[in-house]
Amino acid sequence: MDVKSNRGIGRYFLLALTCLIAAGCKDHKLEKSFFEKPAVDEVQRLRRYSLDEQYRIFRYGMDKIEPPAMGLARPIAERGADAVPFLVNKLNADAGDIAVRDILLIFEMMEASGSYKVSANGSLLSLLTSRVSKMRDKGWQDICFQGLEEIRDSK
């Protein structure tokens, strides 16, 4: 290979590396600023955000905050039927174990609070069961199967 070829390959490599870094590094500015404020009124503050922002903050709180911010599922769950298509889209877009676990938690809260009767939606239960069945982490899978059973048993 000559020097020109090496430079061309180098440029493509650098471009590809830059794209990968840009795609993988979200700044999470919104999420970080949310958690910089006192935890006392988190749920109330989260209600002021759009559904997409609520979901982003909730997922960040589950992944990055100790203990995980499970209570932030509540404002999303309160949206009931209005949130279901959004959550189904998220579930279809990201079937990773942690996303499935977090989305299932929201559906469990919907069922428990009565904001949406997940147990009456057969296609949603089938989708959730399918996603949980494909989980790689058997510990999380067992926990999620228990959550599904709680939803089914609440009929």
Side-chain angles (χ1 to χ4, degrees), residues 55 59 63 90-91 94-104:
Y55 180 79
R59 290 295 313 280
D63 294 344
K90 291 295 182 184
L91 195 57
D94 184 0
D97 289 2
I98 302 304
V100 172
R101 176 203 68 189
D102 292 351
I103 293 168
L104 179 61

Side-chain angles (χ1 to χ4, degrees), residues 10-99:
R11 265 190 242 129
Y12 285 115
F13 176 77
L14 186 58
L15 177 63
L17 183 60
T18 303
C19 289
L20 284 172
I21 290 170
C25 297
K26 296 179 181 176
D27 66 2
H28 296 290
K29 188 176 180 180
L30 170 74
E31 296 90 332
K32 287 177 182 176
S33 69
F34 180 86
F35 287 104
E36 287 172 355
K37 295 181 176 97
V40 166
D41 63 345
E42 281 180 343
V43 172
Q44 190 62 29
R45 280 188 296 116
L46 192 63
R47 287 184 177 111
R48 298 182 202 138
Y49 290 86
S50 71
L51 178 57
D52 182 64
E53 291 169 330
Q54 285 179 338
Y55 180 79
R56 287 175 35 210
I57 292 167
F58 164 69
R59 290 295 313 280
Y60 184 87
M62 292 293 287
D63 294 344
K64 305 288 185 195
I65 304 299
E66 286 297 329
M70 295 172 67
L72 296 183
R74 186 173 305 122
I76 301 170
E78 289 170 350
R79 291 174 175 264
D82 292 340
V84 172
F86 174 86
L87 293 170
V88 167
N89 286 337
K90 291 295 182 184
L91 195 57
N92 285 327
D94 184 0
D97 289 2
I98 302 304

Side-chain angles (χ1 to χ4, degrees), residues 101-122:
R101 176 203 68 189
D102 292 351
I103 293 168
L104 179 61
L105 175 63
I106 296 169
F107 283 125
E108 287 178 74
M109 284 194 172
M110 283 183 179
E111 185 73 32
S113 70
S115 65
Y116 182 76
K117 202 74 174 144
V118 178
S119 60
N121 186 332

